């Protein structure tokens, strides 16, 4: 896992230093993140959500005609909640609640549409999520989350997500909405009757490109 982190960070550094003939545009953004932990209960999906934040640095790299690649490194506060005993939905409404921080590395492919001075970008791509540290609360007990430790109630360190979104840019400033859906089960231990647990995020951001 450490080698994977180093590989992703090295890739991003190389992208920053690539001597491309085309114009490479850096940018920054900050915003709010509506995150949720999602699991399936009695054939229906249930989610517990919370509000956090997201701060990121962006590099837009033209690759072919209008298409560009836009890697990003973001520091995110995310989490959510889910039922402790999911097979007793009607009788037990106790939740495990998570509040933690992660490093996310989306690598989006972007296609723009221009309307006079306004540019609309549509983008999608994979997103790598590395959990760092955080807290959880269960049955009134509050403690640290031990990522990657194979014990009940803890979470896995790594997640691979699918990221999609749109952004509207005007005079170097932009507003973006993006949704990240995790594809890997975050549970380190799955007890009998428990289903997979996924981390999802919707982020609303304001940003600026240094053109």
């Amino acid at each position: 896992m450490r080698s994977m982190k180093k590989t992703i960070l090295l890739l991003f550094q190389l992208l920053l230093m690539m001597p491309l003939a085309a114009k490479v545009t850096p940018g920054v953004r900050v915003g709010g993140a509506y995150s949720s932990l999602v699991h399936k209960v009695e054939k229906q999906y249930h989610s517990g959500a919370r509000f956090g934040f997201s701060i990121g640095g962006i590099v837009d790299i033209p690759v072919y005609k209008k298409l560009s690649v836009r890697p990003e490194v973001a520091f995110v506060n995310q989490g959510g909640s889910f039922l402790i005993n999911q097979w007793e939905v009607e009788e037990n409404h106790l939740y495990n609640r998570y509040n933690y921080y992660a490093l996310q590395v989306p690598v989006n492919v972007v296609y723009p549409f221009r309307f006079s001075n306004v540019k609309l970008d549509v983008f999608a791509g994979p997103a790598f999520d590395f959990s760092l540290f955080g807290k959880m609360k269960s049955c009134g007990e509050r403690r640290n989350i031990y990522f990657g430790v194979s014990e009940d109630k803890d979470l896995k360190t790594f997640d691979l997500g699918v990221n999609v979104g749109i952004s509207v840019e005007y005079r170097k400033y932009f507003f973006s909405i993006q949704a990240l859906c995790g594809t890997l089960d975050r549970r380190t231990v799955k007890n009998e009757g428990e289903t997979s647990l996924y981390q999802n995020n919707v982020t609303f951001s304001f940003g600026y490109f240094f053109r």
Side-chain angles (χ1 to χ4, degrees):
M1 189 58 63
R2 289 184 180 178
S3 61
M4 185 176 293
K5 284 185 181 180
K6 290 180 180 179
T7 301
I8 297 299
L9 293 176
L10 179 62
L11 175 62
F12 186 73
Q13 290 173 356
L14 289 174
L15 289 172
L16 288 176
M17 296 185 291
M18 285 176 65
L20 299 175
K23 186 177 180 181
V24 175
T25 306
V28 292
R29 65 161 187 82
V30 60
Y34 180 81
S35 61
S36 60
L37 288 169
V38 181
H39 63 143
K40 199 172 185 178
V41 181
E42 295 183 350
K43 299 182 179 181
Q44 293 185 348
Y45 285 99
H46 288 250
S47 64
R50 67 178 306 279
F51 285 97
F53 65 84
S54 178
I55 302 172
I58 309 166
V59 178
D60 190 81
I61 306 170
V63 291
Y64 180 73
K65 293 185 178 180
K66 291 184 177 182
L67 283 177
S68 65
V69 174
R70 189 174 293 174
E72 176 182 335
V73 174
F75 181 66
V76 182
N77 174 225
Q78 60 184 356
S81 60
F82 61 94
L83 288 164
I84 293 176
N85 294 322
Q86 63 183 51
W87 52 86
E88 297 177 357
V89 179
E90 299 299 329
E91 302 171 9
N92 193 336
H93 293 279
L94 295 176
Y95 290 85
N96 291 318
R97 303 183 186 279
Y98 291 77
N99 177 5
Y100 68 95
Y101 299 87
L103 185 68
Q104 289 181 353
V105 185
V107 183
N108 294 307
V109 176
V110 183
Y111 189 86
F113 298 90
R114 285 198 173 273
F115 306 94
S116 186
N117 294 328
V118 177
K119 185 162 76 79
L120 173 67
D121 291 332
V122 178
F123 55 87
F128 307 93
D129 187 303
F130 304 95
S131 301
L132 301 174
F133 57 90
K135 299 281 187 180
M136 67 158 293
K137 185 177 181 181
S138 179
C139 297
E141 178 188 0
R142 186 176 177 84
R143 67 167 177 84
N144 293 329
I145 304 172
Y146 303 108
F147 293 103
V149 177
S150 297
E151 294 184 5
D152 192 19
K153 301 178 184 177
D154 288 305
L155 301 178
K156 293 180 180 177
T157 303
F158 176 73
D159 193 8
L160 176 63
V162 177
N163 191 60
V164 296
I166 59 172
S167 68
V168 179
E169 181 183 346
Y170 178 71
R171 293 184 178 179
K172 302 181 183 179
Y173 296 93
F174 68 88
F175 172 74
S176 66
I177 302 174
Q178 55 185 311
L180 191 156
C181 298
T183 63
L184 302 181
D185 185 4
R186 299 307 305 274
R187 295 185 192 269
T188 55
V189 174
K190 190 181 295 183
N191 296 317
E192 184 180 355
E194 292 182 336
T195 58
S196 299
L197 182 70
Y198 300 99
Q199 178 73 70
N200 293 342
N201 292 331
V202 177
T203 304
F204 304 87
S205 298
F206 289 97
Y208 181 83
F209 280 115
F210 299 94
R211 298 191 185 280

